[in-house]
């Protein structure tokens, strides 16, 4: 166990982070990118020791952790590349028109970092969404120092990754305070970090309760700050008649795997499956049940998550008109999540809001609709989601535009004939969505555009070329695509 | 006087706005743009009648109102053009890599509108930041219906502009509910609009008190929504030694005009002028005083703003160690703002936070610093601003990088050798800034990027070409610049 950081340590860290900000924000993009790549290398160097500690702390299997570490390294390198490309600065230049009345001045807009960013490690991704995860990488790319609050469930793993970042920072001659690692099992630590006047933004991945609390703290400050909290989702899946008719069994197999992947501990886990109550759905449920019954129970991340799963599953199953359809048959030990499928009617689902709440773990509820009209009613009733999925033929999609439109309004990522689990790290990825999936649907926490959470535009008006930052200079030394007088170009300005 | 809209009217309007949203969001960009251009034409058609009513309601002179109407028409046309260009959709496409393990799906990201947007008209811009102003234009471009709450101080002007929008909506076959005009002198109307579950975003330009209240309401909702409030600013100006030495008198003249432009009723009005206490500053202040003394008092927008100006000016002048330097000599009538320059020491300015507060009107305070160190202390102390201005030679800038960096951190637009008044409507404009200038420094309320306030990304995963929206199709029918596999291109995807 690590002791919570003291109020004095937090104060000193924030002061140092601010001083680091004043230096780091001026460093060339190449240097920021170099630092991020060095972090990736240092994490790699931690070797099997890191995996062993993470296995012990998180109960996650070795293969999964190795994959997640590889992904984290890939992320750092890919955000470094994107940082260096400078495209995220969205350069806009309008040159002067001096013979206008009044004369139009030269204005050039770039992006500048917000300031120190506090990142909260996620329990379910000890590497990829934690200490050196996506939020940290985005903040470094943006030009912001980072203060990470380690997730108490994998504090030692976090310490090791933090040591890699510190090593990389020293080797890259980064200013003191560029990165701070803080422990805090107690609530006041998170509150002190979010409310510190020198904190300028917050990144979080985790529960609704946790994320909403940080969001409220951020807004209650004398100077409110942006808090991007990704708070999970139930990721509803809609089975359309044409598709399910032809494919019920293979869809069931695909979904049994997705629901139970990583003991269901993903924010993109499909928690609601909506279908028309007919023979095809019956076949689907039979096949899904058969798969679920033979799932081997596996340990969950930690006792808190296990307890939560047991309780929330029990609450969901105890609701009126909710039937248990299938439960993994092998006896689960303490801490192991038992895969479970429930079912209910659309009417009951619509009238009981509790059934929409996330049961974090290998659980999903099938919602049986009388017809497409009822399916649309279910869709209209759904809260904001990270993802929505349609299992549908092209004809299904064409014939059900009203449903399609309803779901477009609800999610950040709209999947056709796939599973929501598996989040690619690429520029086209939107990992965000309307509240309560996140606190601000206009941003993403995965992919290069995640940098935008931590930057703001700054326009220079009437500055001579020699005094402008590189990205705004006439000769375009960084060779960026820039919008000059409303035209996208790489050309120099003459 | 107009009666406040009733709770029933608001409820009906929001329901209609939502229904309109479901239709309007699907319309091609060309059609949205056409609607906006028709609004511009209809406003033009209102002719002198509109100007006459606005003159009566706002006390603004005819020439100013004609200019502002021209600007509003320009804005509508320029946002229409930007809307049609589709560049704001920031298309990102990553094509599938099927031989990867696991296979990488095809993902394509576009922008979708948030939903109905509530816009609060500003008192100081009856056209450009009101009923058919920048927020309304940005929301329409984004694909959002708009509900405008008329500013009570120019409700009749607002009615007339609203009638033009309604006419344009009918002529453009827009869905019912695309635009709603609401009156509400009472606070509860604004609260009901912001807190209505079908409201998905808010745009506001006005006072800190008003904007912060809307922001808090937006965040206190069960489903928080983004509230972009531009809450004004004191727009500090820093006079650097080299520049002031050579140019004191002409700078003074330039600033006397900027401080008193439009009776000082601009959010970019320069309210603080910071200089080194030496002979050059003395010459500047003498010249500024001479100019201010001969300014003819002019009526302010309405009695509330006048009362506020009189009170805030009196409070500022009554602070310890604040001296009145110059006051317009001609006796002001009731409702007329008297141009006033005060002065104080840097030490006093730093220790008394009240002196940083906006005195909305033709008022500015000169802050005398002992040396550059003290000027940096003043800069460090300054709150978030829409603009900061340096009056400086290139050598001044090069020799005072610490000051320059401090100011970069404080503002959305950084001006060199100019005045902050005058906000160009162009893509490179950042009209925003760190709190308390706005509620979210990552957005702008002027220029094409203002559309971003009302949109969010949506990724399509694994959709066949035929079912994708036009902007994401392989053959790129809209001929957009798109980032395809990390390369910006207009090419079709093969």
């Amino acid at each position: 166990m690590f002791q919570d950081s003291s109020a004095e340590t937090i104060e000193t860290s924030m002061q140092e982070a601010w001083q680091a900000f004043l230096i780091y924000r001026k460093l060339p993009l190449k240097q920021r990118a170099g630092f991020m790549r060095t972090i990736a290398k240092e994490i790699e160097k931690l070797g099997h020791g890191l995996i062993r500690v993470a296995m012990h702390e998180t109960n996650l299997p070795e293969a999964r952790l190795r994959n997640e570490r590889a992904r984290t390294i890939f992320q750092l390198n890919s955000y470094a590349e994107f940082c260096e490309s400078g495209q995220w600065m969205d350069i806009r230049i309008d040159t002067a028109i001096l013979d206008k009345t009044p004369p139009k001045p030269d204005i050039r807009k770039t992006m500048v970092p917000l300031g120190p960013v506090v990142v909260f490690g996620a329990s379910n991704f000890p590497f990829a969404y934690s200490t050196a995860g996506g939020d940290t990488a985005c903040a470094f790319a943006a030009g912001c120092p980072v203060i990470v609050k380690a997730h108490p469930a994998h504090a030692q793993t976090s310490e090791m990754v933090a040591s890699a970042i510190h090593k990389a920072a020293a080797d890259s001659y980064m200013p003191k305070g560029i990165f701070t690692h803080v422990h805090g099992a107690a609530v006041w630590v998170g509150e002190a970090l979010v409310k510190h006047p020198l904190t300028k933004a917050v990144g979080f991945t985790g529960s609704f309760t946790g994320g909403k609390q940080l969001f409220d703290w951020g807004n209650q400050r004398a100077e409110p700050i942006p808090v991007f909290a990704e708070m999970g989702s139930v990721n509803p899946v809609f089975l359309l008649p044409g598709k399910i008719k032809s494919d019920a069994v293979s869809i069931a197999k695909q979904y049994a795997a997705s629901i139970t992947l990583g003991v269901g501990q993903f924010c993109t886990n499909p928690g609601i499956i909506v279908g028309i109550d007919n023979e095809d759905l019956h076949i689907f449920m039979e096949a899904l049940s058969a798969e679920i019954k033979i799932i081997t129970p596996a340990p969950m991340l930690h006792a808190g998550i296990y307890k939560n799963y047991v309780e929330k599953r029990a609450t969901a199953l105890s609701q009126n008109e909710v039937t248990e359809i299938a439960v993994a048959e092998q006896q689960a030990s303490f801490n192991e999540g038992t895969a479970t499928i429930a079912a209910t009617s659309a009417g009951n689902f619509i009238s009981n809001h509790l059934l929409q709440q996330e049961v974090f773990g290998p659980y999903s509820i099938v919602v049986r609709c009388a017809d497409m009209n009822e399916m649309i009613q279910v869709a209209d009733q759904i809260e904001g989601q990270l993802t929505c999925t349609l299992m549908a033929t092209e004809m299904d999609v064409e014939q059900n535009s009203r449903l399609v439109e309803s779901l477009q309004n609800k999610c950040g990522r709209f999947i056709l004939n796939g599973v929501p689990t598996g989040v690619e790290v690429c520029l086209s990825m939107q990992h965000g969505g309307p509240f309560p999936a996140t606190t601000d649907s206009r941003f993403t926490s995965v992919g290069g555009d995640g940098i935008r959470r931590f930057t703001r535009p700054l326009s220079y008006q009437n500055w001579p070329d020699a005094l402008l930052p590189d990205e705004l200079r006439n000769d375009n030394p960084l060779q960026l695509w820039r919008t000059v007088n409303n035209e996208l170009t790489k050309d120099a300005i003459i």
Side-chain angles (χ1 to χ4, degrees), chain A:
Chain A
M1 282 294 290
F2 292 87
Q3 232 182 335
D4 285 358
S5 301
S6 68
E8 292 70 29
T9 308
I10 291 171
E11 180 59 35
T12 312
S13 303
M14 290 310 308
Q15 295 290 348
E16 285 175 1
W18 185 259
Q19 292 309 315
F21 171 59
L22 298 179
I23 298 167
Y24 186 62
R25 68 194 293 276
K26 292 188 287 179
L27 296 185
L29 300 182
K30 267 190 191 314
Q31 226 173 315
R32 294 185 199 166
F35 169 45
M36 291 161 70
R37 291 189 181 108
T38 310
I39 296 172
K41 285 195 198 103
E42 289 299 329
I43 291 174
E44 201 147 27
K45 279 196 207 159
L46 294 173
H48 189 65
L50 178 65
I51 301 293
R52 200 166 45 227
V53 168
M55 284 171 70
H56 175 72
E57 285 191 317
T58 65
N59 295 324
L60 291 170
E62 181 170 345
R64 148 73 198 269
L65 285 168
R66 286 192 178 277
N67 278 338
E68 192 185 322
R69 183 175 60 183
R71 178 196 170 134
T72 307
I73 287 166
F74 169 77
Q75 279 177 184
L76 283 159
N77 287 320
S78 111
Y79 288 128
E81 196 169 334
F82 191 63
C83 167
E84 213 171 349
S85 82
Q87 286 315 320
W88 54 276
M89 289 195 286
D90 269 340
I91 303 301
R92 321 295 207 175
I93 296 175
D94 290 288
T95 54
I97 307 177
L98 298 176
D99 54 3
K100 225 183 124 187
T101 318
K104 184 178 176 184
D106 183 287
I107 308 180
R108 303 180 182 218
K109 185 162 71 171
T110 182
M111 287 285 174
V112 295
L114 294 181
V117 174
V118 169
V119 171
F120 288 78
S123 74
N124 61 338
F125 278 96
F127 303 137
Y129 291 86
S130 287
T131 322
D135 289 351
T136 298
C138 285
F140 282 151
C144 302
V146 173
I147 303 91
V148 163
K149 192 183 92 58
H151 197 288
H154 47 72
Q156 177 65 41
T157 305
S158 196
E159 272 286 322
M160 290 179 78
V161 174
S163 73
I165 302 176
H166 281 304
K167 175 80 166 41
D171 290 355
S172 312
Y173 306 101
M174 287 294 135
K176 184 178 173 174
I178 182 69
F179 177 76
T180 310
H181 191 239
V182 168
H183 290 283
V187 170
W188 74 263
V189 176
E191 185 173 0
L193 288 169
V194 174
K195 290 190 172 172
H196 196 285
L198 295 175
T199 299
K200 298 301 175 191
V202 174
F204 169 88
T205 302
S207 70
F208 176 78
T209 315
K212 183 58 164 56
Q213 179 61 78
L214 301 185
F215 177 74
D216 288 342
W217 284 335
N219 286 319
Q220 287 156 7
R221 294 165 45 117
E223 178 202 357
I225 53 170
V227 174
F228 186 85
E230 190 268 80
M231 302 180 288
S233 194
V234 287
N235 305 292
V237 179
F238 291 77
L239 308 175
L240 267 63
K243 183 72 177 174
I244 188 93
K245 183 167 233 64
S246 64
D247 240 6
V249 173
S250 70
I251 295 173
K253 286 188 178 175
Q254 199 181 3
Y255 269 86
S258 178
I259 292 163
T260 59
L261 186 70
V263 203
Q265 298 166 114
F266 292 113
C267 46
T268 52
N269 192 61
I272 296 175
I273 300 172
V274 189
I276 306 287
D277 196 4
N278 60 18
E279 183 54 27
D280 301 322
L281 187 67
H282 185 76
I283 296 169
F284 168 81
M285 286 169 73
E286 285 291 310
L288 181 64
S289 298
E291 293 288 327
I292 292 295
K293 283 180 183 159
I294 57 171
I295 295 288
T296 311
M300 298 191 79
L301 286 157
H302 57 83
I305 283 195
Y306 168 72
K307 184 166 162 284
N308 227 332
Y309 177 61
V310 170
E311 284 173 10
K312 289 215 163 170
R313 191 184 73 133
T315 307
L317 290 172
S318 73
Q319 300 299 300
N320 260 342
E321 289 178 52
V322 171
T323 332
E324 188 183 285
I325 295 296
V327 174
E329 286 175 347
Q330 189 179 315
Q331 182 69 41
S333 308
F334 174 76
N335 230 15
E336 291 182 342
T338 303
T340 305
I341 304 292
T344 195
S345 68
N348 193 46
F349 179 83
I350 289 169
S351 66
N352 186 349
H353 185 259
L354 188 138
L355 297 175
Q356 270 202 51
Q357 284 173 21
E358 189 176 10
V359 178
F360 192 75
Y363 170 91
S364 196
I365 186 166
V366 177
V367 179
R368 291 191 190 97
C369 305
D371 51 26
M372 284 307 302
N373 269 344
E374 220 176 37
M375 190 180 274
I376 290 169
Q377 284 171 41
V378 169
D380 285 348
Q381 190 73 11
I382 289 276
E383 290 181 323
Q385 303 288 337
L386 293 169
T387 74
C388 286
T389 302
L390 275 182
M391 301 303 288
T393 61
E394 288 201 26
M395 193 175 289
D396 282 330
V397 173
E398 280 158 7
Q399 288 176 346
N400 293 284
S401 56
R402 176 66 183 75
L403 176 74
V404 173
E405 285 162 20
S406 177
L407 296 178
Q408 278 170 342
N409 267 330
K410 304 286 185 172
C411 66
R413 181 164 52 111
F414 198 11
I415 301 152
L416 185 65
N417 298 324
V419 292
T421 44
V423 179
E424 288 292 331
V425 182
C426 56
L427 204 47
S428 58
M429 175 54 63
Q430 170 62 4
H431 193 66
F435 189 91
T438 70
T439 48
D440 193 340
S441 65
R442 297 172 299 174
F443 295 93
T444 178
S445 58
V446 175
D449 288 329
I451 296 176
R452 285 201 178 147
R453 293 175 293 167
F454 308 127
T455 62
R456 63 179 181 88
L458 174 63
S459 294
Y460 286 83
Q461 180 173 319
N462 196 38
W463 287 67
D465 199 53
L467 296 177
L468 285 169
D470 283 351
E471 68 269 23
L472 297 179
R473 290 203 180 160
N474 284 336
D475 60 351
N476 195 12
L478 304 182
Q479 275 300 293
L480 300 178
W481 283 102
R482 310 189 295 185
T483 305
V484 179
N485 299 324
N486 297 314
E487 293 293 336
L488 203 55
T489 175
K490 278 190 168 182
D491 290 352
I493 295 163
I494 6 169

